[in-house]
PDB file of all heavy atoms in Angstrom:
ATOM      1  N   GLY A   1      79.134 110.335  99.062  1.00 48.00           N
ATOM      2  CA  GLY A   1      77.784 110.140  99.504  1.00 48.00           C
ATOM      3  C   GLY A   1      77.531 108.632  99.760  1.00 48.00           C
ATOM      4  O   GLY A   1      78.424 107.781  99.542  1.00 48.00           O
ATOM      5  N   PRO A   2      76.302 108.287 100.263  1.00 51.00           N
ATOM      6  CA  PRO A   2      76.015 106.913 100.618  1.00 51.00           C
ATOM      7  C   PRO A   2      76.220 105.898  99.500  1.00 51.00           C
ATOM      8  O   PRO A   2      76.656 104.819  99.747  1.00 51.00           O
ATOM      9  CB  PRO A   2      74.522 107.007 101.061  1.00 51.00           C
ATOM     10  CG  PRO A   2      74.324 108.456 101.398  1.00 51.00           C
ATOM     11  CD  PRO A   2      75.252 109.192 100.549  1.00 51.00           C
ATOM     12  N   GLY A   3      75.909 106.257  98.296  1.00 56.00           N
ATOM     13  CA  GLY A   3      76.020 105.301  97.196  1.00 56.00           C
ATOM     14  C   GLY A   3      77.519 105.022  96.751  1.00 56.00           C
ATOM     15  O   GLY A   3      77.784 104.078  96.090  1.00 56.00           O
ATOM     16  N   ASP A   4      78.382 105.944  97.141  1.00 68.00           N
ATOM     17  CA  ASP A   4      79.777 105.789  96.830  1.00 68.00           C
ATOM     18  C   ASP A   4      80.416 104.554  97.365  1.00 68.00           C
ATOM     19  O   ASP A   4      81.172 103.862  96.696  1.00 68.00           O
ATOM     20  CB  ASP A   4      80.565 106.991  97.231  1.00 68.00           C
ATOM     21  CG  ASP A   4      80.154 108.293  96.476  1.00 68.00           C
ATOM     22  OD1 ASP A   4      79.722 108.180  95.343  1.00 68.00           O
ATOM     23  OD2 ASP A   4      80.297 109.326  97.084  1.00 68.00           O
ATOM     24  N   GLU A   5      80.065 104.204  98.600  1.00 73.00           N
ATOM     25  CA  GLU A   5      80.628 103.020  99.223  1.00 73.00           C
ATOM     26  C   GLU A   5      80.279 101.801  98.411  1.00 73.00           C
ATOM     27  O   GLU A   5      81.152 100.945  98.166  1.00 73.00           O
ATOM     28  CB  GLU A   5      80.159 102.841 100.655  1.00 73.00           C
ATOM     29  CG  GLU A   5      80.808 101.721 101.387  1.00 73.00           C
ATOM     30  CD  GLU A   5      80.451 101.686 102.822  1.00 73.00           C
ATOM     31  OE1 GLU A   5      79.888 102.618 103.410  1.00 73.00           O
ATOM     32  OE2 GLU A   5      80.765 100.651 103.453  1.00 73.00           O
ATOM     33  N   HIS A   6      79.060 101.661  97.949  1.00 77.00           N
ATOM     34  CA  HIS A   6      78.620 100.547  97.169  1.00 77.00           C
ATOM     35  C   HIS A   6      79.414 100.501  95.829  1.00 77.00           C
ATOM     36  O   HIS A   6      79.852  99.388  95.388  1.00 77.00           O
ATOM     37  CB  HIS A   6      77.106 100.598  96.927  1.00 77.00           C
ATOM     38  CG  HIS A   6      76.626  99.461  96.126  1.00 77.00           C
ATOM     39  ND1 HIS A   6      76.512  99.476  94.737  1.00 77.00           N
ATOM     40  CD2 HIS A   6      76.177  98.251  96.492  1.00 77.00           C
ATOM     41  CE1 HIS A   6      76.044  98.336  94.338  1.00 77.00           C
ATOM     42  NE2 HIS A   6      75.853  97.570  95.382  1.00 77.00           N
ATOM     43  N   SER A   7      79.549 101.567  95.149  1.00 79.00           N
ATOM     44  CA  SER A   7      80.263 101.578  93.911  1.00 79.00           C
ATOM     45  C   SER A   7      81.711 101.250  93.989  1.00 79.00           C
ATOM     46  O   SER A   7      82.358 100.855  92.977  1.00 79.00           O
ATOM     47  CB  SER A   7      80.031 102.919  93.172  1.00 79.00           C
ATOM     48  OG  SER A   7      80.792 103.976  93.833  1.00 79.00           O
ATOM     49  N   LEU A   8      82.296 101.400  95.133  1.00 83.00           N
ATOM     50  CA  LEU A   8      83.704 101.098  95.336  1.00 83.00           C
ATOM     51  C   LEU A   8      84.006  99.765  95.978  1.00 83.00           C
ATOM     52  O   LEU A   8      85.152  99.349  96.141  1.00 83.00           O
ATOM     53  CB  LEU A   8      84.361 102.183  96.191  1.00 83.00           C
ATOM     54  CG  LEU A   8      84.320 103.636  95.579  1.00 83.00           C
ATOM     55  CD1 LEU A   8      84.905 104.638  96.541  1.00 83.00           C
ATOM     56  CD2 LEU A   8      85.084 103.656  94.236  1.00 83.00           C
ATOM     57  N   THR A   9      82.918  99.062  96.290  1.00 85.00           N
ATOM     58  CA  THR A   9      83.100  97.793  97.033  1.00 85.00           C
ATOM     59  C   THR A   9      83.784  96.693  96.197  1.00 85.00           C
ATOM     60  O   THR A   9      84.373  95.783  96.756  1.00 85.00           O
ATOM     61  CB  THR A   9      81.684  97.256  97.454  1.00 85.00           C
ATOM     62  OG1 THR A   9      81.129  98.189  98.295  1.00 85.00           O
ATOM     63  CG2 THR A   9      81.749  95.960  98.184  1.00 85.00           C
ATOM     64  N   HIS A  10      83.783  96.795  94.914  1.00 85.00           N
ATOM     65  CA  HIS A  10      84.476  95.828  94.049  1.00 85.00           C
ATOM     66  C   HIS A  10      85.980  95.706  94.446  1.00 85.00           C
ATOM     67  O   HIS A  10      86.519  94.598  94.346  1.00 85.00           O
ATOM     68  CB  HIS A  10      84.315  96.094  92.568  1.00 85.00           C
ATOM     69  CG  HIS A  10      84.968  97.353  92.094  1.00 85.00           C
ATOM     70  ND1 HIS A  10      86.214  97.344  91.554  1.00 85.00           N
ATOM     71  CD2 HIS A  10      84.508  98.608  92.056  1.00 85.00           C
ATOM     72  CE1 HIS A  10      86.564  98.599  91.236  1.00 85.00           C
ATOM     73  NE2 HIS A  10      85.519  99.404  91.507  1.00 85.00           N
ATOM     74  N   PHE A  11      86.581  96.772  94.907  1.00 89.00           N
ATOM     75  CA  PHE A  11      87.959  96.708  95.424  1.00 89.00           C
ATOM     76  C   PHE A  11      88.085  95.805  96.625  1.00 89.00           C
ATOM     77  O   PHE A  11      89.024  95.031  96.697  1.00 89.00           O
ATOM     78  CB  PHE A  11      88.519  98.067  95.751  1.00 89.00           C
ATOM     79  CG  PHE A  11      88.614  99.033  94.508  1.00 89.00           C
ATOM     80  CD1 PHE A  11      87.829 100.184  94.414  1.00 89.00           C
ATOM     81  CD2 PHE A  11      89.522  98.736  93.508  1.00 89.00           C
ATOM     82  CE1 PHE A  11      87.922 100.976  93.378  1.00 89.00           C
ATOM     83  CE2 PHE A  11      89.646  99.556  92.409  1.00 89.00           C
ATOM     84  CZ  PHE A  11      88.881 100.700  92.317  1.00 89.00           C
ATOM     85  N   ASN A  12      87.127  95.856  97.536  1.00 87.00           N
ATOM     86  CA  ASN A  12      87.165  94.981  98.705  1.00 87.00           C
ATOM     87  C   ASN A  12      86.995  93.514  98.267  1.00 87.00           C
ATOM     88  O   ASN A  12      87.596  92.646  98.822  1.00 87.00           O
ATOM     89  CB  ASN A  12      86.057  95.395  99.665  1.00 87.00           C
ATOM     90  CG  ASN A  12      86.245  96.769 100.198  1.00 87.00           C
ATOM     91  OD1 ASN A  12      85.998  97.774  99.477  1.00 87.00           O
ATOM     92  ND2 ASN A  12      86.629  96.940 101.418  1.00 87.00           N
ATOM     93  N   ILE A  13      86.080  93.278  97.371  1.00 88.00           N
ATOM     94  CA  ILE A  13      85.822  91.947  96.874  1.00 88.00           C
ATOM     95  C   ILE A  13      87.023  91.361  96.218  1.00 88.00           C
ATOM     96  O   ILE A  13      87.442  90.210  96.378  1.00 88.00           O
ATOM     97  CB  ILE A  13      84.567  91.872  95.993  1.00 88.00           C
ATOM     98  CG1 ILE A  13      83.356  92.191  96.866  1.00 88.00           C
ATOM     99  CG2 ILE A  13      84.441  90.579  95.235  1.00 88.00           C
ATOM    100  CD1 ILE A  13      82.085  92.432  96.116  1.00 88.00           C
ATOM    101  N   GLU A  14      87.714  92.201  95.359  1.00 91.00           N
ATOM    102  CA  GLU A  14      88.941  91.746  94.724  1.00 91.00           C
ATOM    103  C   GLU A  14      90.052  91.420  95.697  1.00 91.00           C
ATOM    104  O   GLU A  14      90.880  90.570  95.454  1.00 91.00           O
ATOM    105  CB  GLU A  14      89.417  92.823  93.709  1.00 91.00           C
ATOM    106  CG  GLU A  14      88.547  93.006  92.534  1.00 91.00           C
ATOM    107  CD  GLU A  14      88.822  94.253  91.683  1.00 91.00           C
ATOM    108  OE1 GLU A  14      89.858  94.905  91.992  1.00 91.00           O
ATOM    109  OE2 GLU A  14      88.012  94.599  90.812  1.00 91.00           O
ATOM    110  N   ALA A  15      89.952  92.054  96.853  1.00 92.00           N
ATOM    111  CA  ALA A  15      90.936  91.750  97.925  1.00 92.00           C
ATOM    112  C   ALA A  15      90.583  90.562  98.741  1.00 92.00           C
ATOM    113  O   ALA A  15      91.345  90.128  99.676  1.00 92.00           O
ATOM    114  CB  ALA A  15      91.115  92.990  98.820  1.00 92.00           C
ATOM    115  N   GLY A  16      89.371  89.952  98.460  1.00 91.00           N
ATOM    116  CA  GLY A  16      89.013  88.726  99.183  1.00 91.00           C
ATOM    117  C   GLY A  16      87.885  88.841 100.175  1.00 91.00           C
ATOM    118  O   GLY A  16      87.528  87.836 100.785  1.00 91.00           O
ATOM    119  N   GLU A  17      87.317  90.044 100.346  1.00 88.00           N
ATOM    120  CA  GLU A  17      86.202  90.171 101.263  1.00 88.00           C
ATOM    121  C   GLU A  17      84.918  89.603 100.652  1.00 88.00           C
ATOM    122  O   GLU A  17      84.702  89.599  99.488  1.00 88.00           O
ATOM    123  CB  GLU A  17      85.958  91.642 101.620  1.00 88.00           C
ATOM    124  CG  GLU A  17      86.906  92.220 102.603  1.00 88.00           C
ATOM    125  CD  GLU A  17      86.423  93.597 103.032  1.00 88.00           C
ATOM    126  OE1 GLU A  17      85.413  93.707 103.709  1.00 88.00           O
ATOM    127  OE2 GLU A  17      87.130  94.592 102.718  1.00 88.00           O
ATOM    128  N   ASP A  18      84.049  89.096 101.536  1.00 91.00           N
ATOM    129  CA  ASP A  18      82.743  88.626 101.144  1.00 91.00           C
ATOM    130  C   ASP A  18      81.761  89.668 101.756  1.00 91.00           C
ATOM    131  O   ASP A  18      81.503  89.721 102.936  1.00 91.00           O
ATOM    132  CB  ASP A  18      82.471  87.239 101.765  1.00 91.00           C
ATOM    133  CG  ASP A  18      81.171  86.645 101.308  1.00 91.00           C
ATOM    134  OD1 ASP A  18      80.543  87.172 100.409  1.00 91.00           O
ATOM    135  OD2 ASP A  18      80.731  85.635 101.914  1.00 91.00           O
ATOM    136  N   ILE A  19      81.195  90.491 100.882  1.00 90.00           N
ATOM    137  CA  ILE A  19      80.384  91.633 101.226  1.00 90.00           C
ATOM    138  C   ILE A  19      78.910  91.313 101.050  1.00 90.00           C
ATOM    139  O   ILE A  19      78.537  90.840 100.000  1.00 90.00           O
ATOM    140  CB  ILE A  19      80.704  92.878 100.385  1.00 90.00           C
ATOM    141  CG1 ILE A  19      82.227  93.144 100.441  1.00 90.00           C
ATOM    142  CG2 ILE A  19      79.880  94.055 100.877  1.00 90.00           C
ATOM    143  CD1 ILE A  19      82.736  93.777 101.717  1.00 90.00           C
ATOM    144  N   HIS A  20      78.128  91.542 102.082  1.00 91.00           N
ATOM    145  CA  HIS A  20      76.717  91.466 102.014  1.00 91.00           C
ATOM    146  C   HIS A  20      76.130  92.772 102.543  1.00 91.00           C
ATOM    147  O   HIS A  20      76.778  93.472 103.328  1.00 91.00           O
ATOM    148  CB  HIS A  20      76.168  90.336 102.896  1.00 91.00           C
ATOM    149  CG  HIS A  20      76.351  88.987 102.388  1.00 91.00           C
ATOM    150  ND1 HIS A  20      77.575  88.431 102.073  1.00 91.00           N
ATOM    151  CD2 HIS A  20      75.446  88.023 102.055  1.00 91.00           C
ATOM    152  CE1 HIS A  20      77.382  87.184 101.612  1.00 91.00           C
ATOM    153  NE2 HIS A  20      76.103  86.959 101.564  1.00 91.00           N
ATOM    154  N   TRP A  21      74.962  93.134 102.115  1.00 90.00           N
ATOM    155  CA  TRP A  21      74.297  94.358 102.550  1.00 90.00           C
ATOM    156  C   TRP A  21      72.962  94.025 103.183  1.00 90.00           C
ATOM    157  O   TRP A  21      72.223  93.118 102.696  1.00 90.00           O
ATOM    158  CB  TRP A  21      74.001  95.238 101.298  1.00 90.00           C
ATOM    159  CG  TRP A  21      75.281  95.643 100.548  1.00 90.00           C
ATOM    160  CD1 TRP A  21      75.922  94.894  99.596  1.00 90.00           C
ATOM    161  CD2 TRP A  21      76.019  96.807 100.727  1.00 90.00           C
ATOM    162  NE1 TRP A  21      77.043  95.539  99.135  1.00 90.00           N
ATOM    163  CE2 TRP A  21      77.125  96.729  99.819  1.00 90.00           C
ATOM    164  CE3 TRP A  21      75.917  97.919 101.559  1.00 90.00           C
ATOM    165  CZ2 TRP A  21      78.044  97.766  99.714  1.00 90.00           C
ATOM    166  CZ3 TRP A  21      76.868  98.938 101.423  1.00 90.00           C
ATOM    167  CH2 TRP A  21      77.905  98.845 100.538  1.00 90.00           C
ATOM    168  N   LEU A  22      72.691  94.721 104.247  1.00 89.00           N
ATOM    169  CA  LEU A  22      71.384  94.520 104.912  1.00 89.00           C
ATOM    170  C   LEU A  22      70.733  95.909 105.146  1.00 89.00           C
ATOM    171  O   LEU A  22      71.020  96.546 106.120  1.00 89.00           O
ATOM    172  CB  LEU A  22      71.538  93.742 106.225  1.00 89.00           C
ATOM    173  CG  LEU A  22      70.232  93.411 106.939  1.00 89.00           C
ATOM    174  CD1 LEU A  22      69.327  92.537 106.094  1.00 89.00           C
ATOM    175  CD2 LEU A  22      70.536  92.800 108.275  1.00 89.00           C
ATOM    176  N   PRO A  23      69.813  96.314 104.264  1.00 88.00           N
ATOM    177  CA  PRO A  23      69.134  97.528 104.522  1.00 88.00           C
ATOM    178  C   PRO A  23      68.345  97.453 105.811  1.00 88.00           C
ATOM    179  O   PRO A  23      67.804  96.443 106.170  1.00 88.00           O
ATOM    180  CB  PRO A  23      68.176  97.666 103.296  1.00 88.00           C
ATOM    181  CG  PRO A  23      68.721  96.760 102.280  1.00 88.00           C
ATOM    182  CD  PRO A  23      69.388  95.653 103.036  1.00 88.00           C
ATOM    183  N   ARG A  24      68.324  98.537 106.545  1.00 83.00           N
ATOM    184  CA  ARG A  24      67.694  98.555 107.889  1.00 83.00           C
ATOM    185  C   ARG A  24      66.223  98.152 107.811  1.00 83.00           C
ATOM    186  O   ARG A  24      65.687  97.576 108.756  1.00 83.00           O
ATOM    187  CB  ARG A  24      67.861  99.898 108.549  1.00 83.00           C
ATOM    188  CG  ARG A  24      69.331 100.060 108.915  1.00 83.00           C
ATOM    189  CD  ARG A  24      69.595 101.427 109.585  1.00 83.00           C
ATOM    190  NE  ARG A  24      71.037 101.703 109.613  1.00 83.00           N
ATOM    191  CZ  ARG A  24      71.765 101.558 110.743  1.00 83.00           C
ATOM    192  NH1 ARG A  24      71.181 101.186 111.843  1.00 83.00           N
ATOM    193  NH2 ARG A  24      73.016 101.862 110.697  1.00 83.00           N
ATOM    194  N   HIS A  25      65.524  98.409 106.716  1.00 89.00           N
ATOM    195  CA  HIS A  25      64.146  98.056 106.622  1.00 89.00           C
ATOM    196  C   HIS A  25      63.945  96.581 106.546  1.00 89.00           C
ATOM    197  O   HIS A  25      62.827  96.036 106.712  1.00 89.00           O
ATOM    198  CB  HIS A  25      63.397  98.767 105.453  1.00 89.00           C
ATOM    199  CG  HIS A  25      63.770  98.316 104.101  1.00 89.00           C
ATOM    200  ND1 HIS A  25      64.881  98.746 103.419  1.00 89.00           N
ATOM    201  CD2 HIS A  25      63.189  97.377 103.321  1.00 89.00           C
ATOM    202  CE1 HIS A  25      64.966  98.102 102.270  1.00 89.00           C
ATOM    203  NE2 HIS A  25      63.986  97.243 102.162  1.00 89.00           N
TER     204      HIS A  25
END
């Protein structure tokens, strides 16, 4: 579901990504 991507993002950050979120509103 949509929230799953957020809960798994720590793996991307550990790999060196800089993640930001921009809700459409």
Side-chain angles (χ1 to χ4, degrees):
D4 294 331
E5 185 173 349
H6 182 268
S7 69
L8 298 175
T9 299
H10 66 93
F11 292 115
N12 299 73
I13 291 170
E14 291 168 9
E17 282 190 66
D18 186 10
I19 307 286
H20 284 61
W21 300 85
L22 184 61
R24 291 178 191 258
H25 72 273

